[in-house]
Amino acid sequence: MSVSHYEEMYGEALAENVSKELNPEIAAVLENDTPLTQELCQYASALAHEAQTQREQFKETIINETQSLEIAEEELHAIESALEEMNVRILSEQSYIELERVWEQLDELQDRTEAISKERQERVHAIVVDMRSNGPITLQTYLYQPLSTSFPVLAECTDTLRKILMAKSSVIDSLTRRV
């Protein structure tokens, strides 16, 4: 099991890798230069196939997560753009009926944002990955732990909802001043 360049290339000893990838017993057999039995070879092969399947599933999960992020980003960007276009700062110049329309548009933007948030929350709870040595953790914890939040889409939804609610508050203020 002596491969001189393995640790330099991969940053860990081959025995450590085999222990993580397959199991410690197989690593111990290989490290001690114990002859491999046919049963042990079949067992190691089955474990390697299982690891390959898990990698393929994880790759698919990452692809789906990327697509989900892109869709959420597009939808939230469209909502933010619509909010900016409404230009709620000049509310005092709008009629009561125009203010009602602005309120309805804000309601629609709020509903869309809450739908994105709800879908994302369901996704967060549905995906748990098994990182073997670390045990099961959420995909968000695994992927986003270097960020300030493990839930970037939900954080963006919260920020967008805050902006919508502030705009709605301005509309309420303008409406109540006219009554």
Side-chain angles (χ1 to χ4, degrees):
M1 183 142 140
S2 175
V3 181
S4 59
H5 66 281
Y6 189 91
E7 188 168 346
E8 182 180 311
M9 254 179 121
Y10 297 104
E12 66 184 357
L14 181 59
E16 184 180 347
N17 180 273
V18 170
S19 180
K20 289 177 183 176
E21 289 294 317
L22 304 178
N23 73 24
E25 292 78 24
I26 292 176
V29 168
L30 294 175
E31 197 169 37
N32 296 328
D33 289 328
T34 305
L36 297 174
T37 64
Q38 185 174 359
E39 293 82 18
L40 187 59
C41 285
Q42 288 172 343
Y43 180 57
S45 177
L47 290 174
H49 287 296
E50 180 184 329
Q52 179 182 1
T53 299
Q54 287 177 345
R55 276 194 183 81
E56 289 168 2
Q57 290 170 344
F58 187 66
K59 178 182 173 186
E60 190 64 32
T61 299
I62 295 298
I63 290 169
N64 290 339
E65 177 69 4
T66 301
Q67 291 170 344
S68 175
L69 289 173
E70 289 168 353
I71 290 167
E73 179 183 31
E74 287 174 18
E75 291 173 350
L76 287 168
H77 179 72
I79 291 167
E80 291 269 349
S81 294
L83 189 57
E84 287 174 17
E85 286 177 20
M86 292 172 66
N87 197 4
V88 292
R89 288 180 223 146
I90 55 169
L91 295 175
S92 61
E93 299 173 10
Q94 296 183 12
S95 71
Y96 189 88
I97 291 173
E98 289 171 325
L99 288 173
E100 284 182 327
R101 279 193 221 123
V102 169
W103 181 266
E104 289 169 4
Q105 292 170 339
L106 289 169
D107 261 350
E108 179 190 328
L109 294 177
Q110 183 176 351
D111 290 345
R112 287 171 55 192
T113 305
E114 288 172 347
I116 295 166
S117 180
K118 181 180 181 208
E119 185 277 328
R120 192 64 188 174
Q121 287 175 16
E122 290 169 357
R123 183 172 175 75
V124 164
H125 292 294
I127 301 174
V128 174
V129 291
D130 185 3
M131 301 310 296
R132 286 202 185 230
S133 60
N134 296 340
I137 60 172
T138 66
L139 181 67
Q140 284 66 35
T141 301
Y142 176 73
L143 292 178
Y144 306 119
Q145 66 191 136
L147 302 178
S148 61
T149 178
S150 295
F151 307 97
V153 173
L154 293 175
E156 186 64 28
C157 285
T158 300
D159 188 50
T160 302
L161 284 170
R162 182 188 55 76
K163 291 174 186 175
I164 292 168
L165 294 174
M166 285 174 54
K168 288 176 95 172
S169 178
S170 296
V171 170
I172 289 172
D173 288 346
S174 241
L175 284 168
T176 54
R177 286 192 181 120
R178 293 163 196 251
V179 178

